Amino acid sequence: ADSAVQAAVDECTAELGDSGRVLLRKSGTEPVLRVMAEAKTDELCEQCVDYIINAMRESGRLIKEK
């Protein structure tokens, strides 16, 4: 629900276009939010995930990173 995190997700989604996707999913068994992406390259995938996690960190939403 954080606007900065949503903006990061929207930016990554726009960058990936039809060639990938971003998914944030709350776990049903653990108190975690999974940040996942699919992209043409591993590098782009990791870049998007890192960008979203950084937005979570900057907004104070990140407690622990695995």
Side-chain angles (χ1 to χ4, degrees), residues 18-34:
D18 292 335
S19 67
R21 66 182 181 143
V22 174
L23 177 66
L24 273 63
R25 182 176 170 269
K26 183 178 177 182
S27 172
T29 58
E30 300 175 275
V32 298
L33 179 67
R34 289 181 172 79

Side-chain angles (χ1 to χ4, degrees), residues 2-17 20-24 48 51-52 55:
D2 186 275
S3 61
V5 175
Q6 185 59 53
V9 171
D10 292 344
E11 286 180 46
C12 285
T13 300
E15 182 177 346
L16 294 172
R21 66 182 181 143
V22 174
L23 177 66
L24 273 63
C48 287
Y51 186 71
I52 294 167

Side-chain angles (χ1 to χ4, degrees), residues 26-45:
K26 183 178 177 182
S27 172
T29 58
E30 300 175 275
V32 298
L33 179 67
R34 289 181 172 79
V35 179
M36 299 173 276
E38 293 178 356
K40 285 185 176 182
T41 66
D42 289 343
E43 182 180 274
L44 183 55
C45 182

